[in-house]
Amino acid sequence: MLSVKTDNACHSRSDQRKRDFVSERAKVIPPSGIRRFFDLAGQMEDVISLGVGEPDYSTPWHICDAAITSIEQGHTAYTSNTGMESLRRELARFLRDRYQVEYNPMSEMIITTGVSEGLDIVIRAVTNPGDEVLVIDPSYVSYAPCVTMAGGTPVPVPCTEKNRFRLTADVLMEHITPQSKALILNFPNNPTGGVMRREDLEAIADVAIDHDLLILSDEVYAELTYEGHHTATASIEGLWDRTITLSGFSKAFAMTGWRLGYLCAPPDITAATLKIHQYVMLSAPTMSQYAALEALKNGEEAMREMVREYHLRRNLFVDGLNRIGLSCHTPEGAFYAFPSVKGTGLTDYEFAERLITEAGVAVVPGSVFGNNGIGHVRCSYAVSRQELTEAIRRMDEFIRSLP
């Protein structure tokens, strides 16, 4: 005869002590400070959100149509782990023509599920326990956690306002130790809009070569460069064989939700990274790859139009910030302004929290991007000029209301 557990017995079992199943690495990783303010803005009415770095444009229709056509034609199966060959070949052409960097589409390129996946898998592919990975500070919130999850130690390297948030060779040298293995760059920069010029990168190249550093260069905002032309890190003499180029389609082509990126690297690093990609992702979404192929072939005009508009918005918004007393350098790339709020007497967190609750404008505290973001807030100007003008008006009223 089968015995039946009573409710008391069930409770007895569930009340027993159990081990802590959460890993130590997961415990030390902070939640995204960006998403916190994004979620808060979503719960309130009449909020102008300058918090999330996402174009306010819809993906150009011809790009969407290419994906729809691919589905109608039945292209819904997996692609090669490295991505569609036609896409890789077109991407190789794009990088050669636009940034003067050569990659073999058959052995030096992987199409990834967004730049985020590319960053994660390549950090895991090159990092051993105990390795130090130098991370520019301030920088995008995922870099240091990805290093931690891979068993490495992230080491922040300051990029200060007095240097227009660029990395200098002298500061980099100060943070190199015998355990230093790699350096993560992101220019144009999120959150500051800072840009590295060719001469800046040439100075970094000397240091990287002398100390045998690998460079992971996130260039997802490359096309959003307003003064001059973006310099690809891998195009600098001596850096090609020690650089991993990471980028994607989200920002330049307004394709954030399509989740498509790419990484380009020397063959040995590509092969190592591909093994991890095979296990965690297999292949990037097929219809997104068809969309990206169309973007590369025929998306230049739409991209240029969007960049021109971002340029106008930057000028309008940064001028407004400085006019109301929030000192702000002119960002040369991306679509972020990074004004100082030190003059308000509030911390960056206090400023951001009070600004959204009292004025209905969402920004992100600079400190979530690193210690060198303390006292600043990140504002995305990827919203309409009308909204930016209204945001400045509300911010002005808020600042005037402070004691």
Side-chain angles (χ1 to χ4, degrees), residues 178-208:
Q179 288 72 47
S180 301
K181 185 174 188 179
L183 165 67
I184 298 179
L185 297 179
N186 168 222
F187 294 98
N189 180 259
N190 174 7
T192 69
V195 166
M196 294 284 277
R197 302 184 188 277
R198 177 167 290 274
E199 56 268 28
D200 300 323
L201 288 170
E202 287 171 344
I204 298 302
D206 291 339
V207 177

Side-chain angles (χ1 to χ4, degrees), residues 55 57 98-99 221-228 251-254 299-315 332-335 381:
Y57 291 97
R98 192 174 184 89
Y99 301 117
Y221 293 98
E223 290 76 30
L224 277 64
T225 300
Y226 306 116
E227 273 72 46
K251 314 301 182 180
F253 297 103
E300 181 80 12
E301 183 178 348
M303 178 184 71
R304 287 182 181 276
E305 182 180 335
M306 287 187 279
V307 173
R308 281 194 295 269
E309 176 62 21
Y310 292 141
H311 195 169
L312 292 172
R313 294 176 185 181
R314 181 203 70 171
N315 293 344
E332 297 180 42
F335 41 50
Y381 51 83

Side-chain angles (χ1 to χ4, degrees), residues 34 38 48-57 189-193 221 224 226 251 310 313-314 316-318 321 328 331 333-339 355 361-365 369 377-385 387-389 391-392 395:
I34 299 175
F38 174 77
I48 299 173
S49 180
L50 310 180
V52 177
E54 182 171 35
D56 62 328
Y57 291 97
N189 180 259
N190 174 7
T192 69
Y221 293 98
L224 277 64
Y226 306 116
K251 314 301 182 180
Y310 292 141
R313 294 176 185 181
R314 181 203 70 171
L316 180 153
F317 189 61
V318 171
L321 289 171
C328 185
F335 41 50
Y336 305 106
F338 204 57
L355 184 66
V361 178
V363 298
V364 181
F369 303 100
V377 293
R378 191 193 76 172
C379 311
S380 169
Y381 51 83
V383 300
S384 71
R385 280 182 261 175
E387 288 178 294
L388 291 174
T389 300
I392 289 293
M395 294 170 80

Side-chain angles (χ1 to χ4, degrees), residues 203-364:
I204 298 302
D206 291 339
V207 177
I209 293 167
D210 288 347
H211 293 272
D212 197 20
L213 295 177
L214 180 68
I215 298 178
L216 283 64
S217 186
D218 179 353
E219 302 180 22
V220 73
Y221 293 98
E223 290 76 30
L224 277 64
T225 300
Y226 306 116
E227 273 72 46
H229 188 71
H230 172 74
T231 300
T233 302
S235 72
I236 301 298
E237 184 178 357
L239 288 189
W240 187 93
D241 62 354
R242 60 175 66 248
T243 296
I244 299 161
T245 299
L246 296 145
S247 193
F249 301 85
S250 292
K251 314 301 182 180
F253 297 103
M255 293 177 64
T256 53
W258 298 82
R259 306 313 304 131
L260 206 72
Y262 56 87
L263 68 86
C264 305
D268 56 337
I269 294 177
T270 302
T273 306
L274 182 61
K275 288 189 287 187
I276 302 173
H277 176 68
Q278 288 170 335
Y279 291 124
V280 303
M281 197 56 65
L282 189 63
S283 64
T286 302
M287 56 288 302
S288 295
Q289 294 190 52
Y290 278 97
L293 180 60
E294 171 64 19
L296 290 174
K297 286 182 174 180
N298 300 304
E300 181 80 12
E301 183 178 348
M303 178 184 71
R304 287 182 181 276
E305 182 180 335
M306 287 187 279
V307 173
R308 281 194 295 269
E309 176 62 21
Y310 292 141
H311 195 169
L312 292 172
R313 294 176 185 181
R314 181 203 70 171
N315 293 344
L316 180 153
F317 189 61
V318 171
D319 287 350
L321 289 171
N322 283 302
R323 187 178 68 252
I324 65 174
L326 295 181
S327 173
C328 185
H329 78 288
T330 300
E332 297 180 42
F335 41 50
Y336 305 106
F338 204 57
S340 171
V341 298
K342 297 173 185 176
T344 66
L346 303 175
T347 68
D348 52 298
Y349 252 97
E350 290 170 340
F351 184 93
E353 289 182 340
R354 289 188 59 180
L355 184 66
I356 191 172
T357 56
E358 297 176 28
V361 178
V363 298
V364 181

Side-chain angles (χ1 to χ4, degrees), residues 44-113:
M44 301 173 62
E45 295 183 0
D46 190 29
V47 170
I48 299 173
S49 180
L50 310 180
V52 177
E54 182 171 35
D56 62 328
Y57 291 97
S58 297
T59 305
W61 176 248
H62 67 98
I63 296 174
C64 299
D65 193 44
I68 293 168
T69 300
S70 76
I71 296 171
E72 291 174 338
Q73 293 177 347
H75 300 306
T76 56
Y78 297 129
T79 69
S80 161
N81 293 140
T82 52
M84 289 167 24
E85 182 178 336
S86 57
L87 175 56
R88 285 181 278 121
R89 289 189 180 279
E90 189 63 28
L91 181 58
R93 177 205 61 76
F94 176 83
L95 293 173
R96 181 186 65 246
D97 293 350
R98 192 174 184 89
Y99 301 117
Q100 295 74 58
V101 286
E102 295 272 358
Y103 287 106
N104 185 334
M106 307 308 292
S107 60
E108 297 169 351
M109 188 175 292
I110 302 172
I111 305 300
T112 61
T113 307

